[in-house]
Amino acid sequence: MTKFLPLSQAVADNLNNGDTVAFEGFTHLIPTAAAHEAIRQGFKDLTLVRMTPDLIYDQMIGMGMARKAVFSYAGNPGVGLLRRLRDAVENGFPHALEIEEHSHAAMANAYEAGAAGLPCAIFRGYRGAELAQVNPNIKSVTCPFTGEVLAAVPSVRPDVTFIHAQKANKKGDVLVEGIIGIQKEAALAAKRAVVTVEEVVDNFDDLHPNLTVLPNWSVTAISVVPGGAHPSYAHGYYIRDNASYLEWDEIAADRDRFREWMQENVIEKSADDFAARVEHLRNVA
Amino acid sequence: MSELGFTPNEMMTIAASRALKGDDVCFVGIGAPSAACNVARLTHAPDITLIYESGTIGTAPDVLPLSIGDGELCDTAVTTVSVPEMFRYWLQGGRISIGFLGAAQLDKFGNINTTVIGDYAHPKTRLPGGGGAPEIATSSKEIYITMAQTKRGMVEKIDFYTSFGHGEGGDHRQRLGIDTKGPTLLITDLAIWKPDPETKEFTVVSLHPGVTRDKVQETCGWTVKFADTLEETPAPTELELNTLRDLKARTDAAHKGEAVGAKRGSKDG
């Protein structure tokens, strides 16, 4: 059975130095508040797993929290490159970063295999792709029935996954709707799943029966953080803050400006500050 | 704007849109492909199925999305599925007729690099990487590529094979067991290119209005081959131009309305 906890406690209870952790969200519902809490608590030596690392991994890498990144698209969606990640890969700043790079299809299959309790994912992929030569975790298997050679990658089994969702009910069941991405698979693939939500409602009685729901017993902890996906969006609540994504490109381009921004907007702030950040994005949602 | 009344980029988008048909199921890359696909939908191909890798199937956005996961893609879609389902059932399952990609670096055989400039382990520039493209390039029935020509972008040898086109040319795809057609069309801001039936090298088959052979060669890093009979791409019609400009104006207005400063172009996400 899940527990409703303040975000600071949910993060402290479920994340450890050296963990393999996924903060998932495919453009939509990115768990920024949870990532910022992890930054404030100053974890080290993390293996960060995510299909599209995005701003929050740029921030965690820039703060020196990551030993390794596992990803399939290291970009700032809609804008361009991730400059802190680039600085780590190209210049070893603030320290060297090990990378394990995949395609989206591979990562999606690897999460699904993790959720399904399998050791690896098998799919038709990486044909002619050079990643297969630089990533030793991309191998192949031969279909025992047809002889077709297929790609194989290890499943993703994070120690803990953090996701953001629209709502929980009072029992702790979780609803995700809109672009549902990879969150259900990422939560079920992990040993522990922590969910931040926009709000808690009494029940889900009036909802369509097939809307994505994680039953309360599949979720370790829930924290209520309105606006917790900003600058990404929560379908039905607020829209994507594209200006923040564009601004990030400039902030992250400079090491000093990055540290100052992190100090002012993350270190000296708390989860309670997120609600105000989406106020101007709500009326158009 | 040239004296022709349209820009090379407008010509590129419109020429690309014409290649799409109403019964196509198109996996759309962000940026130039996204604009072309939506112009097709708003002009001659209203029934085209547009799919973005965020899981939105049959989407019909009123404005162009800034990222592949904008909320409007979901709001206007026939259905929205999870990312594993998108890549497994719909792409790997062979249900995509056209994969429409952009490229940071492209070679004459349609191989695409979006991963690194320089050595992989010690890159000069670390680019975002492949995202969905490596499997889009091999699981879609065929691939269209669109990009503006530059010598840095169109090169003799790409630094990294992110997404496989025709490899070293000829029957390289078949030799790797890839049974899809691969790149069949390249639309740039200057010309339309198709692969040679034997060598698979991209060959210019049509020059856009006002474009010379020299101009195509000056902005391309390999020695360009031209078809024996070169056509001229028909200039954009009034309907095509108005549709594209209205779409861009709506997009700019929407992005300004929701985000002051959001005025730069899109890139893959």
Side-chain angles (χ1 to χ4, degrees):
Chain A
M1 188 69 80
T2 191
K3 287 184 279 194
F4 285 91
L5 296 174
L7 182 59
S8 56
Q9 192 186 340
V11 170
D13 286 357
N14 287 288
L15 186 60
N16 307 293
N17 290 332
D19 272 357
T20 295
V21 54
F23 292 80
E24 266 298 354
F26 203 77
T27 306
H28 179 215
L29 293 174
I30 292 167
T32 312
H36 284 189
E37 186 57 40
I39 292 169
R40 278 190 290 276
Q41 295 187 21
F43 291 97
K44 296 281 174 208
D45 296 324
L46 299 175
T47 293
L48 299 174
V49 184
R50 184 151 168 225
M51 293 183 68
T52 53
D54 188 271
L55 274 52
I56 54 176
Y57 281 14
D58 212 29
Q59 292 165 357
M60 295 169 94
I61 289 165
M63 296 298 280
M65 297 165 67
R67 182 181 68 76
K68 179 177 177 182
V70 182
F71 65 91
S72 44
Y73 185 84
N76 175 347
V79 180
L81 309 168
L82 291 178
R83 299 185 183 280
R84 291 299 93 222
L85 180 142
R86 276 189 64 186
D87 207 10
V89 172
E90 294 170 15
N91 308 312
F93 182 89
H95 56 70
L97 178 73
E98 185 184 344
I99 62 169
E100 177 178 336
E101 183 170 5
H102 287 282
S103 65
H104 277 348
M107 291 284 288
N109 276 282
Y111 272 121
E112 195 182 56
L118 290 170
C120 72
I122 295 170
F123 64 107
R124 187 178 295 118
Y126 287 128
R127 292 181 294 179
E130 199 170 340
L131 272 183
Q133 273 130 55
V134 296
N135 178 350
N137 265 344
I138 300 170
K139 296 190 185 299
S140 62
V141 294
T142 303
C143 170
F145 306 103
T146 64
E148 182 177 357
V149 176
L150 298 161
V153 293
S155 59
V156 172
R157 307 296 299 269
D159 293 303
V160 53
T161 288
F162 292 87
I163 62 169
H164 187 77
Q166 273 96 348
K167 57 188 86 170
N169 63 23
K170 284 188 168 163
K171 291 194 296 183
D173 304 316
V174 170
L175 168 84
V176 184
E177 57 184 338
I179 289 175
I180 51 180
I182 192 75
Q183 285 95 312
K184 184 175 187 173
E185 291 77 12
L188 294 179
K191 295 185 187 118
R192 303 180 293 280
V194 177
V195 184
T196 53
V197 295
E198 289 294 321
E199 62 173 334
V200 177
V201 297
D202 287 342
N203 59 63
F204 288 161
D205 291 353
D206 56 346
L207 296 178
H208 188 282
N210 296 115
L211 287 178
T212 302
V213 171
L214 287 165
N216 59 55
W217 50 269
S218 66
V219 175
T220 315
I222 297 172
S223 300
V224 183
V225 187
H230 179 268
S232 106
Y233 69 104
H235 201 113
Y237 288 79
Y238 47 90
I239 61 168
R240 193 172 190 260
D241 187 357
N242 285 320
S244 287
Y245 282 89
L246 290 164
E247 189 188 9
W248 182 252
D249 198 44
E250 292 164 19
I251 295 162
D254 181 83
R255 291 174 183 175
D256 293 333
R257 188 169 171 204
F258 164 75
R259 291 300 297 214
E260 283 162 24
W261 191 93
M262 293 300 292
Q263 184 65 30
E264 192 178 325
N265 294 281
V266 179
I267 305 297
E268 293 170 6
K269 292 286 195 296
S270 78
D272 297 336
D273 291 304
F274 275 84
R277 292 174 187 163
V278 300
E279 270 316 309
H280 69 295
L281 303 163
R282 282 189 188 278
N283 53 355
V284 276
Chain B
M1 187 88 50
S2 68
E3 68 279 7
L4 294 165
F6 54 88
T7 67
N9 261 299
E10 287 175 332
M11 184 70 251
M12 173 170 74
T13 304
I14 287 164
S17 77
R18 288 173 185 159
L20 296 163
K21 303 182 295 297
D23 58 357
D24 275 329
V25 177
C26 184
F27 207 115
V28 186
I30 276 290
S34 180
C37 291
N38 281 289
V39 169
R41 179 178 61 79
L42 294 166
T43 53
H44 65 279
D47 294 328
I48 191 170
T49 296
L50 302 183
I51 294 182
Y52 289 73
E53 67 188 12
S54 53
T56 53
I57 297 178
T59 186
D62 188 50
V63 301
L64 295 174
L66 195 72
S67 83
I68 47 81
D70 281 19
E72 204 200 349
L73 294 174
C74 177
D75 281 332
T76 60
V78 173
T79 184
T80 296
V81 301
S82 72
V83 170
E85 180 177 328
M86 172 54 58
F87 281 98
R88 289 166 61 81
Y89 300 177
W90 301 92
L91 178 61
Q92 181 179 268
R95 294 181 168 83
I96 308 296
S97 62
I98 308 289
F100 213 138
L101 299 174
Q105 253 191 354
L106 178 79
D107 71 15
K108 61 186 170 191
F109 295 117
N111 303 298
I112 292 172
N113 172 25
T114 55
T115 303
V116 287
I117 304 297
D119 177 60
Y120 182 79
H122 306 283
K124 195 161 132 249
T125 306
R126 174 65 231 197
L127 302 170
E135 280 75 23
I136 295 172
T138 49
S139 288
S140 305
K141 286 176 185 153
E142 55 190 302
I143 296 297
Y144 295 168
I145 299 167
T146 184
M147 68 186 290
Q149 290 195 203
T150 63
K151 278 204 158 166
R152 280 176 68 196
M154 296 171 76
V155 297
E156 183 68 34
K157 181 154 177 38
I158 56 176
D159 290 342
F160 194 86
Y161 283 70
T162 308
S163 305
F164 196 76
H166 295 289
E168 295 163 1
D171 64 350
H172 202 168
R173 284 177 78 87
Q174 288 94 308
R175 281 189 275 128
L176 294 181
I178 305 168
D179 53 5
T180 51
K181 287 184 192 162
T184 55
L185 191 63
L186 165 64
I187 305 107
T188 70
D189 52 340
L190 303 179
I192 297 172
W193 310 55
K194 288 186 177 171
D196 178 273
E198 292 301 316
T199 68
K200 302 297 180 190
E201 176 175 342
F202 270 128
T203 306
V204 174
V205 296
S206 181
L207 294 173
H208 298 339
V211 174
T212 61
R213 289 173 182 237
D214 285 349
K215 196 162 180 209
V216 173
Q217 182 62 73
E218 281 164 17
T219 50
C220 180
W222 67 79
T223 304
V224 179
K225 291 215 167 105
F226 294 88
D228 295 339
T229 45
L230 263 185
E231 292 177 14
E232 181 176 292
T233 312
T237 65
E238 206 177 316
L239 173 69
E240 288 170 329
L241 261 186
N242 288 341
T243 302
L244 173 60
R245 288 174 182 171
D246 289 351
L247 179 64
K248 296 257 187 191
R250 283 200 303 277
T251 300
D252 286 348
H255 289 164
K256 269 187 201 126
E258 74 192 33
V260 178
K263 53 187 182 286
R264 267 178 281 176
S266 298
K267 289 182 181 162
D268 283 325

